Amino acid sequence: MDTRILTTDGLQALVDALHARGFEVMGPVVRDGAIAFGRVRALTDLPAGWGDEQEPGRYRLHRRDDPLLFAFAAGVQSAKPLFFPAQEVLWRVRAGDGEASPTVELTPVAVTAGEAPVAVLGVRSCDLAAIGIQDTVLLRRTYGDAAYALRREGTFVVAVTCSHPADTCFCVSMGTGPRPGAGPGPAAPYDLAMTEVSDELGHRFVVEVGSDRGADLLAELVARGVDAAEARPADRVAADRVVAEATARMGRRLDTDGLKELLYAAAESPVWDEVASRCLACGNCTQVCPTCFCTDVRDVTDLTGGLVERERVWDSCFDAEYSYIHGGSVRASTRSRYRQWLTHKLAAWEDQFGMSGCVGCGRCITWCPAAIDLTAEVAALRDEGGRA
Amino acid sequence: MVRMTIEQYLPHHPFLAGLDEDALALLARCATLVHFAPGEYLFREGEPADAFYVLRTGRVALETRLGTGSQVLDTADADDPGDGVVGWSWLVPPYRWTFDARAVSETSAVSFDGVCLRARCEEDPVLGYALMRRVVGVMSTRLHSARVRLLDLYGGRP
Amino acid sequence: MVPRRFRVASTRRDNHDTLTVQLEPCEGGPLAFAAGQFTMLQVFGVGEVPISISGDPRGSGPLQHTIRDVGSVSHALAFAAPGQVLGVRGPYGTGWEVADGKGGDVVLVAGGIGLAPLRPALLEICAERDDYERVSLLYGARTPSDVLFADDLRSWAEDHRITVEVIVDRGEAGWTGRIGLVTQLIGKVAFGADQRLALVCGPEVMMRHSAVALVARGVEPQRVRLSMERNMKCGVGLCGHCQLRELFLCLDGPVLPFDRLEPLMSRAEL
Ligand SMILES: Cc1cc2nc3c(=O)[nH]c(=O)nc-3n(C[C@H](O)[C@H](O)[C@H](O)COP(=O)(O)OP(=O)(O)OC[C@H]3O[C@@H](n4cnc5c(N)ncnc54)[C@H](O)[C@@H]3O)c2cc1C
Ligand code: SF4
Ligand code: SF4
Ligand code: FES
């Protein structure tokens, strides 16, 4: 299937078709003063006419004077929680009577029971790359994550070109945007990718096909008489212009040249002490990062003690307990925890997974209460390295 | 003759290995052979430190007396390369032993007279330096051992 | 991530804070494992921790773990009553691969509870003792009454020609053995062969010093293997907790060669 043009009505038809195929459609919605993922039934659920402003430690929504549906940058969360929830039950155990009972019944929890497969609408390019990274981290391993595999398997992904990057964005540096598809590691996994265009030819979406399922869905729309014309050269030019303008407006940049070596060599740099003097070790950065995958487990017992649920929850390398072994934490200082986070993300990740762990979405910058900016920290380490 | 035996023996002990013949001959003049049965003391805390022991066979425990009995702090073993020696208080004023040293097993040693050794070292700084380097080596091993054991790595009751 | 159910068959007290627990599977066959591997052991409702297997990798007997009671989970494991059902995941991680030492000398250096993970390697050596040249076990313990596996130590020395040297941090009445640090013993190991393999398990400080001393004795750094300890929540490379820079110690380790670890162990809080 060729590149097609959808109008807003066409996009609504696409959402309807996804619902008809049994998908729960999740897309960006305005919630609590920010863009987050939520259920999308009608295009009116999308943040039409909303834009965002992001700076280190600051996030604001504002009204725009156009009807654009995707004219904002990365929201609070990426699509990560849709496949990798912040909290989930792995298995339950029911003891016959009391803790020493030999009749312990173990039940793995079927993760997808009652969950419809998800179609994600409007996954921005950085977050799309993050899905690719998570697929590598959680699936292409010695032991895969079964729950993630089940949730990911049936997912339909409609990506979107990032037309309005924020002051905190640097996907261009990381090779993950602004057009979906570019990205580290295996090909970014989308079914359809669209670029929202609004010019003298009208408000429309230039839709590219990334999979057979995507082609099939578009073909169904065409067969049903939905207006989905083949893209004209002017449409492609318009889409390219959106990409070029977004690229030019990228708020930040990160010099990735020799980054792994730089960070490995900088383990003892005073820059870590300086960051640590500002960092609160709150872990916000890890909570919003689309590639962070660390988890903790805990046993939740009901009052009678007969039912125990093993629950897996997101964890953060900034937490003191994270590295605790009998006798104390391996990383007791904030300095060592920030170093761990940044070095893992930008350096060790390459050794572990053959790619960077950062997609340049800028969330960790925006949501840091201390306005710590990893691009600035890397620059400081570079300066430091240059001086040494 | 005893003295000949010592001179022949000295270069074989790891602590003295590498010293030249003249030096060993000088040292041998300060040395005698000694034997201790298990439980016998080589020296006791507070006594004048007038000797230095190079162990040939056996094991010696360095102890301190607590109100509640003796506590062994270290052992020196004849077969520990570079460690089979006991005592350095002969080197530093006020030349008094700071611990008890007790033979744990049948022990034989070459005992050097401390005053004699000090005199040889004063006369011959090259010999003195060579000897001092060896003593410092042993001291540093023991200090390391004491420091690391202070960490109580294998853990007591938490 | 779902554990298998094992039932406590029996428990043996090894010293004042360490117990060995024998487990039988509630269903299915015994757990095959390699010397040096660990399992994620759990008491339902209390928690799950990594514990090395201390039994015989060739035997078909119960699954054995030697556990030091240091906190809530290890306590609940060590004192699980006979008949109680525990959860077992694994075995996970890299093993000692002690067979690499065949045809040469092998030195095993243990500190404290670190003897437990080395026990399967020693049993493996004993089973094919003639394939190895000189074998030495250097074992440091806190006090004489902390010494683990006394019967094994005697049998390894008397029946299997293994040079067993025990050294304690602090003596006790009646102790005529050595007092000092286990690293001191490395200087006196008698090597017979040019090919040498060293396996080290204990607190990280002790392993670092031991590895340096072993290298000084001519053991190649890539043939000095250490078993690393970190917080481990999943055991399979997914939870992130056990990372040491680029290594997932549960998956790439816990047993790793010193040449790989040295640059990472020399930085504090990495
Ligand atoms: C590969 C490996 C093999 C091990 N083998 C043995 C063994 O054979 N015998 C033995 O006695 N001990 C072994 N340990 C150490 C054992 O896992 C800890 O002593 C145990 O986790 C302590 O848990 P706790 O709840 O009793 O202690 P607490 O101090 O109360 O710990 C609280 C929590 O912190 C975490 N934690 C604490 N210490 C450790 C630790 N050392 N490693 C990982 N997580 C920790 C656990 O999640 C624990 O629930 C091994 C550790 C590792 C990594
Ligand atoms: S490290 Fe920061 S910029 Fe990079 S992917 Fe994570 S949240 Fe986004
Ligand atoms: S860098 Fe910022 S968001 Fe991350 S832990 Fe430190 S203060 Fe919190
Ligand atoms: S223990 Fe979870 S990654 Fe190693």
Side-chain angles (χ1 to χ4, degrees):
Chain A
M1 174 73 55
D2 309 319
T3 302
R4 295 274 163 167
I5 303 301
L6 289 181
T7 60
T8 45
D9 286 348
L11 189 61
Q12 178 66 59
L14 187 140
V15 170
D16 293 342
L18 285 168
H19 276 126
R21 289 185 175 201
F23 287 105
E24 175 82 76
V25 180
M26 302 294 287
V29 299
V30 172
R31 193 192 299 140
D32 301 330
I35 307 277
F37 273 100
R39 293 215 168 107
V40 175
R41 301 225 137 242
L43 292 197
T44 47
D45 294 329
L46 296 172
W50 285 101
D52 62 13
E53 281 165 44
Q54 302 191 38
E55 287 166 31
R58 185 169 177 275
Y59 181 100
R60 289 280 180 287
L61 287 186
H62 62 81
R63 298 295 328 191
R64 298 174 55 85
D65 52 10
D66 58 41
L68 293 178
L69 298 175
F70 298 99
F72 41 81
V76 186
Q77 281 288 353
S78 68
K80 179 172 87 172
L82 299 177
F83 316 115
F84 192 63
Q87 181 180 348
E88 73 179 314
V89 176
L90 298 177
W91 45 261
R92 298 196 169 91
V93 69
R94 191 177 289 284
D97 55 329
E99 80 173 36
S101 164
T103 56
V104 169
E105 252 179 75
L106 263 177
T107 321
V109 175
V111 283
T112 51
E115 287 180 25
V118 170
V120 218
L121 180 69
V123 177
R124 11 199 21 88
S125 49
C126 58
D127 291 349
L128 188 70
I131 293 176
I133 292 175
Q134 286 243 312
D135 286 354
T136 304
V137 172
L138 298 173
L139 299 180
R140 289 184 264 275
R141 301 290 299 286
T142 314
Y143 301 87
D145 181 327
Y148 182 87
L150 280 169
R151 287 208 177 83
R152 267 292 283 132
E153 215 170 56
T155 311
F156 194 99
V157 176
V158 184
V160 66
T161 297
C162 210
S163 53
H164 291 73
D167 175 49
T168 45
C169 290
F170 56 102
C171 61
V172 170
S173 298
M174 304 317 290
T176 58
R179 194 197 277 273
Y190 63 81
D191 296 294
L192 295 172
M194 55 190 185
T195 304
E196 184 176 30
V197 173
S198 180
D199 57 15
E200 57 288 353
L201 296 174
H203 182 198
R204 64 202 188 280
F205 298 87
V206 182
V207 183
E208 285 160 79
V209 173
S211 74
D212 292 346
R213 281 199 312 179
D216 188 57
L217 191 75
L218 270 193
E220 180 192 321
L221 296 183
V222 173
R224 288 201 346 237
V226 172
D227 180 4
E230 275 185 36
R232 298 149 294 185
D235 297 317
R236 293 170 191 276
V237 169
D240 288 346
R241 190 164 55 234
V242 168
V243 171
E245 284 174 8
T247 303
R249 276 208 304 268
M250 206 50 47
R252 277 174 158 65
R253 84 178 269 285
L254 181 72
D255 180 358
T256 57
D257 189 34
L259 198 48
K260 185 179 98 180
E261 292 71 23
L262 176 80
L263 283 161
Y264 282 0
E268 315 269 70
S269 167
V271 168
W272 305 117
D273 295 299
E274 197 283 322
V275 195
S277 70
R278 289 176 285 135
C279 174
L280 313 170
C282 66
N284 272 11
C285 46
T286 56
Q287 294 296 300
V288 296
C289 179
T291 68
C292 275
F293 61 87
C294 287
T295 52
D296 195 357
V297 279
R298 58 188 183 211
D299 280 6
V300 184
T301 313
D302 74 357
L303 287 178
T304 65
L307 181 73
V308 176
E309 286 187 337
R310 163 124 311 193
E311 207 170 71
R312 181 175 69 182
V313 293
W314 286 359
D315 201 0
S316 170
C317 53
F318 282 92
D319 197 292
E321 294 287 304
Y322 178 88
S323 65
Y324 178 83
I325 56 175
H326 170 65
S329 290
V330 172
R331 294 183 207 98
S333 66
T334 299
R335 165 190 193 278
S336 68
R337 293 185 209 155
Y338 188 87
R339 178 181 68 189
Q340 166 62 21
W341 181 68
L342 200 69
T343 306
H344 182 216
K345 199 116 289 200
L346 299 176
W349 212 291
E350 280 185 31
D351 279 334
Q352 293 171 339
F353 308 113
M355 59 185 78
S356 172
C358 175
V359 297
C361 72
R363 287 187 178 88
C364 57
I365 306 173
T366 299
W367 297 99
C368 175
I372 292 170
D373 170 358
L374 78 169
T375 65
E377 299 313 326
V378 167
L381 288 165
R382 262 190 210 288
D383 284 355
E384 178 65 29
R387 270 206 303 278
Chain B
M1 268 166 69
V2 169
R3 181 142 298 186
M4 283 308 290
T5 314
I6 289 178
E7 244 182 282
Q8 281 166 352
Y9 172 74
L10 291 186
H12 298 291
H13 195 280
F15 181 80
L16 299 169
L19 288 180
D20 64 34
E21 258 175 57
D22 293 348
L24 289 170
L26 272 178
L27 291 181
R29 270 184 251 147
C30 303
T32 50
L33 281 181
V34 289
H35 297 272
F36 300 94
E40 215 180 318
Y41 282 88
L42 281 69
F43 52 77
R44 283 174 174 276
E45 182 181 323
E47 291 173 359
D50 51 9
F52 170 60
Y53 298 90
V54 169
L55 303 183
R56 297 172 64 204
T57 58
R59 173 175 303 157
V60 173
L62 300 176
E63 304 178 339
T64 192
R65 267 164 280 147
L66 306 173
T68 49
S70 284
Q71 170 80 51
V72 181
L73 302 164
D74 251 321
T75 51
D77 268 76
D79 60 353
D80 274 0
D83 191 42
V85 300
V86 177
W88 48 72
S89 296
W90 59 275
L91 254 173
V92 274
Y95 311 118
R96 293 206 173 262
W97 295 119
T98 51
F99 296 116
D100 296 344
R102 185 176 50 82
V104 177
S105 55
E106 198 72 46
T107 299
S108 77
V110 180
S111 163
F112 293 90
D113 181 89
V115 178
C116 175
L117 268 192
R118 285 203 300 269
R120 295 293 87 77
C121 292
E122 295 292 339
E123 287 159 22
D124 183 347
V126 175
L127 170 64
Y129 177 65
L131 207 57
M132 221 50 60
R133 276 183 54 167
R134 286 166 166 75
V135 172
V136 169
V138 175
M139 291 173 76
S140 117
T141 306
R142 298 253 170 91
L143 183 61
H144 170 74
S145 162
R147 281 176 173 161
V148 173
R149 282 184 286 150
L150 263 185
L151 297 173
D152 201 9
L153 285 179
Y154 308 137
R157 281 267 138 203
Chain C
M1 295 300 271
V2 181
R4 280 183 66 185
R5 307 183 316 147
F6 278 68
R7 186 176 285 118
V8 177
S10 64
T11 304
R12 179 190 75 220
R13 187 174 260 287
D14 294 311
N15 67 30
H16 72 99
D17 66 0
T18 304
L19 293 96
T20 294
V21 178
Q22 315 273 359
L23 299 173
E24 302 276 10
C26 292
E27 52 270 311
L31 202 74
F33 70 97
Q37 285 194 300
F38 66 95
T39 69
M40 295 300 295
L41 262 191
Q42 62 198 293
V43 181
F44 299 112
V46 182
E48 182 182 39
V49 294
I51 303 286
S52 302
I53 304 170
S54 65
D56 190 343
R58 289 153 184 265
S60 55
L63 179 64
Q64 177 173 319
H65 294 84
T66 301
I67 303 161
R68 191 166 158 242
D69 168 18
V70 296
S72 52
V73 185
S74 53
H75 180 84
L77 285 169
F79 290 94
Q84 187 173 338
V85 174
L86 304 178
V88 177
R89 292 191 296 121
Y92 296 131
T94 53
W96 293 112
E97 313 261 358
V98 65
D100 292 349
K102 284 185 181 176
D105 294 344
V106 183
V107 189
L108 302 98
V109 188
I113 184 74
L115 183 59
L118 282 169
R119 186 172 177 271
L122 280 151
L123 296 177
E124 205 175 314
I125 292 174
C126 291
E128 297 181 331
R129 179 64 187 87
D130 290 342
D131 293 349
Y132 299 86
E133 298 295 318
R134 298 189 186 180
V135 180
S136 320
L137 168 64
L138 316 178
Y139 171 33
R142 186 162 181 263
T143 69
S145 50
D146 283 299
V147 169
L148 295 172
F149 310 143
D151 293 343
D152 285 330
L153 295 175
R154 205 170 305 119
S155 150
W156 292 334
E158 290 171 9
D159 310 332
H160 299 284
R161 290 177 289 118
I162 294 176
T163 307
V164 176
E165 298 277 3
V166 181
I167 190 163
V168 296
D169 279 357
R170 276 194 278 125
E172 278 167 356
W175 174 253
T176 56
R178 293 168 190 277
I179 296 175
L181 268 193
V182 70
T183 44
Q184 285 166 233
L185 302 179
I186 291 168
K188 66 174 291 264
V189 172
F191 287 111
D194 288 341
Q195 188 198 292
R196 294 160 191 187
L197 179 71
L199 312 178
V200 188
C201 190
E204 201 166 313
V205 183
M206 165 262 169
M207 291 202 290
R208 233 165 41 220
H209 289 306
S210 298
V212 170
L214 286 159
V215 171
R217 286 300 312 278
V219 189
E220 292 170 75
Q222 64 272 25
R223 288 178 67 86
V224 175
R225 298 180 184 157
L226 317 184
S227 181
M228 297 294 288
E229 180 180 359
R230 282 294 183 275
N231 187 304
M232 294 186 183
K233 293 295 179 194
C234 71
V236 294
L238 292 175
C239 77
H241 283 254
C242 67
Q243 288 174 93
L244 176 58
R245 211 173 70 183
E246 69 274 21
L247 298 171
F248 287 99
L249 289 174
C250 63
L251 211 56
D252 305 317
V255 179
L256 282 154
F258 187 53
D259 61 331
R260 193 78 206 280
L261 291 169
E262 189 176 20
L264 306 177
M265 293 174 89
S266 60
R267 299 260 180 269
E269 294 187 90
L270 213 61

